[in-house]
Amino acid sequence: MRAIGLVSLIIAMMALLLTDADASRSWCASYPRQGLNDNCSYSSFDQCWATVLGRGGFCRPNPFPGTAYGTGYTWGSGPSR
């Protein structure tokens, strides 16, 4: 079962790397098994991947680029002062 998950992860990574999806999007680090919120503050896939590597997470494109989604801010306001 672990081998299937690992192969799926490798295929997904290869698909992302072979496309030009990294050009204009921000990336989110997700840690579903740890119960942590997404962190969408990464400007490249490589930067995100270096962060999640070894922590049991994965990277995905930010579903709401250009917004504060995943940066710790709320939808209705900017950074708290």
Side-chain angles (χ1 to χ4, degrees):
M1 190 67 171
R2 271 191 166 171
I4 293 171
L6 183 60
V7 169
S8 298
L9 179 63
I10 290 171
I11 291 171
M13 287 178 12
M14 288 174 55
L16 288 173
L17 292 173
L18 293 175
T19 63
D20 197 23
D22 199 19
S24 64
R25 295 199 106 168
S26 59
W27 289 84
C28 300
S30 298
Y31 306 97
R33 291 187 179 179
Q34 298 174 6
L36 300 174
N37 292 332
D38 290 347
N39 179 354
C40 297
S41 63
Y42 301 102
S43 59
S44 71
F45 177 80
D46 292 333
Q47 183 184 30
C48 178
W49 185 246
T51 304
V52 301
L53 191 61
R55 294 186 65 194
F58 63 92
C59 295
R60 62 182 178 84
N62 186 346
F64 306 106
T67 67
Y69 176 79
T71 59
Y73 305 132
T74 62
W75 282 100
S77 65
S80 58
R81 295 187 173 133

